[in-house]
Amino acid sequence: MDALVLTLIALGSIALLLLLIIRFQVPAFVALILVSVGTALATGMPFAEIIPTIVEGLGGTLGSVALLVGLGAMLGAIIEHSGGADALSRRFARILGPARVGAALLIASSVIATPIFFDVAFIILVPIIYAFSRAARLPSPMSIGLPIAGLMLFIHVVVPPHPGIVGSSAILEADMGLVTLLGCALVVPVGFVAHHTARLLNRRVYTVLPETLARYSEGPAADPGDGTGPQGPDDSGPSGQGGTEPSGTRPADQGGGSVKAPARTEPQAPPGTGSVLTIILVPIAMIGLQTVGSAFLAEGSAALGLLTMLGAPPFALLTGCLLAVYLLGVRRGWSMRSVGRVMEGALAPAAIVVFVTGAGGAFAKVLSESGIGDALSGGLLGLGIPLLLLAFVLAALLRAAQGSATVSAITTAGLLASTVSEGGYSSVEIALINLAIGCGAICLSHVNDSGFWIVSRYLGLQVADALRTWTVLVTVLGTTGFGLVCLVWALA
């Protein structure tokens, strides 16, 4: 089929996808499957091959995504319900002192956001942000909360086990270890940018929404250095709602509405900061050790084989989960039944993300097998647009159009899959292409993104003010991350 016709079909399929999700509120999973079938028919794919192609694309993506997202959700649920986020935030604040509370919470939030989805992680931290803001006698939680939300969303789009970066990496067959290490490396400089950009944006005084102001003012000011967190009944165990999205919402990438902080309970004694850090950092260290070891150990050696197993992201996350079960649960008085309820409760909302990601993989497979990916990316590359820039721009445009960072990342990966697989790129370059997609997927968050509403409502921003602050901040962070990716690409 002619390249121009294939390109028009691609544009039409994306437009139809956006129409179904935005205008008709069709669930993203159903919309992606319907558009996949329609695209396959429009390109003349044989009837007998359409469903097998969709199944192959969905199954191939789920093979990588389901393990990581499921284990990541359970790990995050245990940290959430145990009070680990509270303990970590207060410990950092106590170490850095009252004058650096904002920076302390920013550092803590970057650690907390690694295993926990953005919307849940931010809502967990809202009471802490409010308490420290009140203690500092700030008129609103905006000064402390804005950079925290921005950095947490950046981590959500560039660091596994979050679904968008995992899904795009699976489609482009990227080395997940390299993606993880490079994504974590980006977080540090982007964190500095988030802090200073938010300070500039906060020089203006914004009118706080009345309902947010009432909620912000009603609680007592907490002592930033008291080291305490919410207390819960020791004998009842966790409520079993760990890792779930707030009541009445969908995950931040999936669109949503009103928000409500999730309830949680914990054993009487707050967890130790060292335990929480160990649980989060050990899986990252295992992945990093495998990636580094592969550069120095002989291929086929027993040592490399052992490191390959230990450093595989699913095994590393499983290790983190087992550490969390013991250090934050059993050792602190939880029964295995209580811990099990928390872990099982985390899988229901994670399943939504997994299925949407899998459907995105099915759509990507149709785009690839039908020749659309080659036609579109080849045509754009023929205009002289570098592949890295193309990845960033496509993801940003799709993100602005339909609001989901996950869907935009996976769709972009599908459009570029053929070009990447046939381009002879190194493993580092493929990892950088995935990070460029992630950086594009954070940009231009606005009213069609439920994360926009979560942040604006909890920080008390009117829509116009949220566009001036939140949308600007995440776009700056995405562009900064892309600039750093380009720098590494030039040096690689």
Side-chain angles (χ1 to χ4, degrees):
M1 190 174 288
D2 184 73
L4 176 60
V5 175
L6 288 173
T7 300
L8 292 175
I9 292 174
L11 295 176
S13 65
I14 293 171
L16 177 60
L17 179 64
L18 301 180
L19 183 67
L20 289 174
I21 293 175
I22 297 171
R23 176 65 180 85
F24 296 105
Q25 300 294 302
V26 176
F29 175 75
V30 176
L32 282 163
I33 297 298
L34 287 174
V35 171
S36 298
V37 173
T39 303
L41 290 171
T43 57
M45 184 178 291
F47 296 138
E49 295 180 10
I50 293 176
I51 299 304
T53 299
I54 290 173
V55 170
E56 182 182 353
L58 189 145
T61 304
L62 289 183
S64 301
V65 171
L67 271 174
L68 292 179
V69 173
L71 289 169
M74 289 191 289
L75 176 59
I78 298 173
I79 293 172
E80 173 197 343
H81 278 265
S82 69
D86 298 342
L88 200 62
S89 299
R90 295 177 186 279
R91 179 63 174 170
F92 273 98
R94 188 163 65 248
I95 291 172
L96 295 181
R100 299 181 180 86
V101 163
L105 292 184
L106 186 66
I107 295 170
S109 70
S110 67
V111 180
I112 294 164
T114 301
I116 305 178
F117 290 172
F118 164 71
D119 55 341
V120 176
F122 181 69
I123 292 172
I124 290 169
L125 285 181
V126 163
I128 303 170
I129 292 169
Y130 280 19
F132 282 102
S133 298
R134 286 192 297 263
R137 302 187 184 280
L138 297 173
S140 81
M142 178 74 172
S143 296
I144 291 178
L146 183 63
I148 288 174
L151 185 59
M152 292 177 95
L153 183 59
F154 183 82
I155 292 170
H156 184 86
V157 299
V158 301
V159 179
H162 297 296
I165 190 69
V166 170
S168 67
S169 297
I171 291 168
L172 298 183
E173 299 181 356
D175 183 324
M176 201 73 72
L178 276 175
V179 173
T180 301
L181 292 181
L182 291 171
C184 288
L186 285 179
V187 170
V188 177
V190 169
F192 280 102
V193 174
H195 177 69
H196 291 290
T197 303
R199 285 183 63 184
L200 290 174
L201 293 172
N202 278 315
R203 292 172 66 179
R204 175 175 175 174
V205 178
Y206 302 96
T207 302
V208 183
L209 293 172
E211 59 270 26
T212 303
L213 186 60
R215 190 164 57 239
Y216 173 63
S217 303
E218 67 187 9
D223 176 7
D226 63 8
T228 63
Q231 298 293 316
D234 189 24
D235 57 352
S236 65
S239 65
Q241 296 175 9
T244 65
E245 68 221 52
S247 176
T249 70
R250 289 173 282 171
D253 295 351
Q254 305 304 322
S258 61
V259 293
K260 178 181 177 183
R264 68 182 150 78
T265 60
E266 61 166 305
Q268 291 294 328
T273 306
S275 297
V276 180
L277 284 173
T278 298
I279 290 163
I280 294 173
L281 296 180
V282 162
I284 295 174
M286 291 173 66
I287 293 170
L289 187 61
Q290 182 270 330
T291 302
V292 173
S294 63
F296 296 97
L297 297 175
E299 188 173 350
S301 66
L304 180 58
L306 178 61
L307 280 182
T308 299
M309 184 195 77
L310 295 178
F315 190 89
L317 276 174
L318 177 61
T319 303
C321 282
L322 294 177
L323 285 172
V325 167
Y326 176 69
L327 294 176
L328 300 185
V330 174
R331 195 177 74 166
R332 300 175 56 243
W334 284 11
S335 67
M336 278 304 301
R337 180 180 179 184
S338 296
V339 177
R341 284 208 308 270
V342 169
M343 298 174 75
E344 289 174 356
L347 291 179
I352 299 173
V353 178
V354 167
F355 275 103
V356 169
T357 307
F363 183 40
K365 186 69 174 178
V366 169
L367 292 173
S368 175
E369 293 297 315
S370 64
I372 284 178
D374 283 336
L376 186 60
S377 59
L380 292 171
L381 289 171
L383 298 175
I385 302 175
L387 179 61
L388 208 61
L389 177 61
L390 181 58
F392 174 76
V393 171
L394 279 177
L397 292 176
L398 287 169
R399 160 73 152 160
Q402 51 78 44
S404 168
T406 297
V407 172
S408 63
I410 293 172
T411 303
T412 301
L415 291 170
L416 299 179
S418 299
T419 301
V420 172
S421 65
E422 297 170 5
Y425 295 101
S426 69
S427 57
V428 173
E429 289 172 332
I430 295 175
L432 291 172
I433 292 169
N434 275 279
L435 291 174
I437 291 173
C439 290
I442 191 182
C443 295
L444 303 174
S445 169
H446 59 96
V447 295
N448 62 357
D449 172 25
S450 71
F452 174 91
W453 296 106
I454 289 174
V455 172
S456 63
R457 288 303 176 259
Y458 275 121
L459 297 186
L461 293 168
Q462 299 183 37
V463 172
D465 290 337
L467 291 170
R468 295 187 188 102
T469 54
W470 171 248
T471 304
V472 170
L473 176 64
V474 297
T475 304
V476 168
L477 297 187
T479 305
T480 300
F482 176 65
L484 294 170
V485 167
C486 291
L487 178 62
V488 177
W489 179 282
L491 297 175

